[in-house]
Amino acid sequence: QVQLVESGGGLVQVGGSLTLSCTAAGRTFSSSVMGWFRQAPGKEREFAAAVSLSGSSIAYSSSVKGRFTISRDNAKNTVYLQMNSLKPEDTAVYYCAASTEGYFSPTEYAREDRYPYWGQGTQVTVSS
């Protein structure tokens, strides 16, 4: 079993930055692809970024690529999402997700069914 707790959300102005953290409890983190997804009001949840166990394989959605950076610290059981140049359309609840595999094809990183464990979410609001 894995418990995921996100933090770092908040209110930020357009063009600002935030860093989200997700800390995992449970041994699965040490063997997991970790992902960040987000759900804007009235929309379906969508993939944002994911990173393999080693950190060597990373994928981003086209909407965040070049602005967001995912990273992980396996010693701290924590995955991060550094978000820069934030836009109003980045407003969403951000969810951390954990797989049970340390690696699978990055072409499948956006598939929610590859992640059996989810955090409760943290709100990010970008104001203009």
Side-chain angles (χ1 to χ4, degrees):
Q1 189 71 306
V2 176
Q3 293 80 43
L4 304 173
V5 178
E6 302 100 333
S7 61
L11 176 65
V12 64
Q13 292 188 333
V14 169
S17 298
L18 279 176
T19 299
L20 306 183
S21 300
C22 171
T23 299
R27 62 180 180 87
T28 300
F29 184 88
S30 62
S31 59
S32 297
V33 170
M34 299 295 296
W36 285 97
F37 291 74
R38 65 184 186 179
Q39 187 168 22
K43 296 187 177 181
E44 293 187 354
R45 190 161 57 188
E46 65 175 10
F47 171 75
V51 59
S52 64
L53 172 62
S54 68
S56 63
S57 181
I58 290 175
Y60 298 98
S61 70
S62 58
S63 59
V64 308
K65 192 172 185 179
R67 300 186 298 121
F68 291 11
T69 302
I70 188 171
S71 61
R72 65 190 295 163
D73 185 337
N74 291 338
K76 296 181 178 179
N77 283 0
T78 300
V79 62
Y80 305 95
L81 187 68
Q82 171 69 43
M83 305 184 296
N84 299 325
S85 302
L86 284 162
K87 305 175 182 179
E89 51 264 42
D90 294 318
T91 295
V93 177
Y94 283 72
Y95 296 91
C96 174
S99 73
T100 56
E101 302 168 80
Y103 178 84
F104 51 87
S105 172
T107 60
E108 298 193 346
Y109 279 6
R111 287 180 50 180
E112 293 190 21
D113 62 350
R114 297 304 297 252
Y115 304 90
Y117 302 109
W118 293 80
Q120 81 289 348
T122 186
Q123 177 71 47
V124 171
T125 302
V126 184
S127 66
S128 57

